[in-house]
Amino acid sequence: MTNNNLRTLRWLTYMMFLMFAMTTDAVGVIIPELMAKFDLSMTQAGMIHYGPMLAIALAGLGLGFLADRFGRKLTVMLGLGLFALVSYAFIWGDDFYYFLSLMMVSGVAIGVFKTAALALIGDICRSTKEHTTTVNGVEAFFGVGAIIGPLIVTTLLAAGIDWKWLYFIAGNLCICLILIASRVQYPHAKLSETKEQGSFIQTLALVRNPYAFSFSVGAFLYVATESAIYVWMPTYLLGYDGSFLLLATYALTLFFVLRALGRFLGMWLLERVSWSMVMMLCSGLIALCFVISIVVGKSIAVVLLPLTGLFMSVIYPTLNSKGISCFHKNQHGSVAGVILFFTAAGAAAGPLTMGVVSDAFGGDAVYGFMVATVFAVLLFLGLLYNWLKAPVDAHLRAMDSELDV
């Protein structure tokens, strides 16, 4: 495996994450358009987010083993091909449930190629520390995609063009990635030796593993907290007329910018500081921002909620990386699928619960953010325990030899 091939594979994973972030993280801008056009409640409009997240969750759990069973290359191309087809199909319809159906199918595609990409990262990394740094880099490009997506939608709407053309752009990018994925040489990876090892049954068995389960619960709590920002913060800040009106207008963009910058910073920070300390401190700051925002109100929330992007940046990629690194290479696709299931479940259940609670109290999004604050506090308590007790550090050190390439 040449350095040029390794470099190409890294950039392939970076661009895959950037591409699908363009679509999934643009929902905060798309939801108000759907509510106005189809006369939807917050809960109904939120289906455009819950639906694909549920599909990603089911695909991660049910299809995560494909990368272990049939190889990274085939699985990456399968997922990207399905995503491209669905993206182009957006152009031909103009119905809420048509869009919802396509987004759910795109969620299945994401679940397939994302688990394969995460398994591929394990193949090209030589230690659990390098794995964590690489995943933070991948998620940094996801953060860049999360900035580009809403920006494209905002630009399209300002020009009088429908938001669904975002998917046409994503489809074109996806075709380019398929061409690269088909031509690059992949490292040799030991695949699952039996049908039982590379199967849905094996994936379900991993749910009971304490390492997989613990990191998956952490991912659930984190994403339930994070999605509160990019799904409902624009709705929560509607009507704000204080001194930071310009900040309120660009609050979501600022959140994504800080999250992306924080992930690049996280790559540097995790090389120098204990990962468990970084995670504990960042989760504590997130919880503090949410608590103060609820207690004081929009006047401070307009500053603190976007600021959480900086503190959130390092948490998910590190949870994901450490969880996957607890297992052998021929299980990386399956365990990535388990973590992805809990990730997407959190991204669906968190905003859904917030929407339902907000609707129950007259449509005021502040009540939903109270729910998100509970998720943030629980995440901090879990990562505080991880820092104090270090329950996985010895196991991660033992797994370093497995990642030697």
Side-chain angles (χ1 to χ4, degrees):
M1 176 58 61
T2 65
N3 288 334
N4 185 56
N5 263 293
L6 289 173
R7 190 180 305 111
T8 302
L9 287 170
R10 287 182 187 274
W11 277 100
L12 176 63
T13 57
Y14 291 160
M15 296 308 296
M16 278 193 285
F17 275 65
L18 182 148
M19 181 267 301
F20 85 79
M22 285 171 51
T23 58
T24 56
D25 281 22
V27 293
V29 184
I30 294 171
I31 282 176
E33 295 296 313
L34 295 174
M35 291 177 70
K37 184 172 184 177
F38 298 108
D39 191 25
L40 304 172
S41 70
M42 289 177 64
T43 304
Q44 290 172 320
M47 289 173 64
I48 215 75
H49 173 75
Y50 321 140
M53 289 301 109
L54 177 61
I56 292 173
L58 294 176
L61 190 63
L63 302 175
F65 69 90
L66 292 177
D68 295 333
R69 181 79 179 278
F70 299 107
R72 317 317 191 200
K73 181 174 184 175
L74 179 62
T75 310
V76 163
M77 293 182 64
L78 175 65
L80 289 176
L82 179 58
F83 191 89
L85 288 174
V86 172
S87 296
Y88 290 131
F90 272 86
I91 305 305
W92 309 114
D94 195 28
D95 177 79
F96 175 71
Y97 290 101
Y98 175 78
F99 294 143
L100 177 61
S101 299
L102 290 180
M103 286 187 173
M104 292 187 71
V105 178
S106 73
V108 174
I110 290 170
V112 171
F113 73 71
K114 183 177 179 180
T115 52
L118 290 170
L120 178 61
I121 290 171
D123 296 340
I124 63 178
C125 291
R126 293 162 293 187
S127 69
T128 58
K129 188 172 184 178
E130 183 183 351
H131 191 278
T132 299
T133 302
T134 302
V135 174
N136 269 274
V138 167
E139 292 290 347
F141 278 86
F142 180 95
V144 173
I147 298 168
I148 294 173
L151 181 61
I152 291 174
V153 172
T154 302
T155 304
L156 290 173
L157 294 174
I161 303 172
D162 205 308
W163 59 265
K164 63 186 180 181
W165 286 91
L166 167 71
Y167 283 85
F168 181 79
I169 297 170
N172 290 337
L173 178 56
C174 198
I175 294 298
C176 295
L177 295 179
I178 291 171
L179 293 175
I180 296 172
S182 67
R183 297 179 64 85
V184 68
Q185 180 185 351
Y186 290 66
H188 174 73
K190 181 181 178 182
L191 302 182
S192 298
E193 297 174 350
T194 68
K195 292 182 178 180
E196 289 75 19
Q197 287 180 321
S199 68
F200 176 57
I201 300 300
Q202 183 214 23
T203 304
L204 285 180
L206 286 175
V207 177
R208 298 193 298 269
N209 181 285
Y211 297 121
F213 183 75
S214 298
F215 282 105
S216 294
V217 170
F220 177 96
L221 292 172
Y222 166 75
V223 176
T225 304
E226 180 198 52
S227 58
I229 301 293
Y230 67 77
V231 175
W232 292 128
M233 183 176 67
T235 304
Y236 175 51
L237 294 179
L238 283 176
Y240 172 82
D241 59 357
S243 304
F244 301 104
L245 192 58
L246 184 64
L247 180 58
T249 303
Y250 294 99
L252 188 59
T253 300
L254 178 59
F255 169 79
F256 286 138
V257 168
L258 290 175
R259 191 180 65 173
L261 291 175
R263 282 175 176 164
F264 286 109
L265 177 62
M267 296 171 64
W268 176 86
L269 188 62
L270 288 166
E271 289 283 349
R272 294 160 175 80
V273 183
S274 162
W275 71 275
S276 57
M277 177 179 289
V278 172
M279 299 279 276
M280 181 272 296
L281 291 174
C282 287
S283 64
L285 289 169
I286 293 167
L288 185 62
C289 286
F290 270 76
V291 170
I292 294 174
S293 295
I294 294 299
V295 173
V296 179
K298 292 183 183 180
S299 60
I300 192 67
V302 71
V303 176
L304 293 185
L305 291 181
L307 183 62
T308 59
L310 185 62
F311 309 132
M312 288 184 183
S313 58
V314 74
I315 292 180
Y316 179 72
T318 305
L319 284 172
N320 208 9
S321 169
K322 296 303 182 186
I324 293 171
S325 295
C326 286
F327 295 86
H328 299 293
K329 284 186 180 182
N330 63 350
Q331 294 178 298
H332 278 192
S334 296
V335 71
V338 172
I339 296 174
L340 181 58
F341 171 80
F342 281 86
T343 297
L352 174 60
T353 305
M354 291 178 65
V356 170
V357 171
S358 295
D359 283 341
F361 287 89
D364 190 340
V366 70
Y367 294 101
F369 271 90
M370 291 179 184
V371 176
T373 301
V374 173
F375 292 137
V377 171
L378 290 174
L379 176 66
F380 166 65
L381 293 176
L383 292 175
L384 176 63
Y385 173 82
N386 178 68
W387 176 62
L388 292 173
K389 300 296 184 180
V392 298
D393 284 3
H395 182 71
L396 287 171
R397 287 193 294 271
M399 292 302 297
D400 271 334
S401 59
E402 173 67 17
L403 287 172
D404 184 20
V405 296

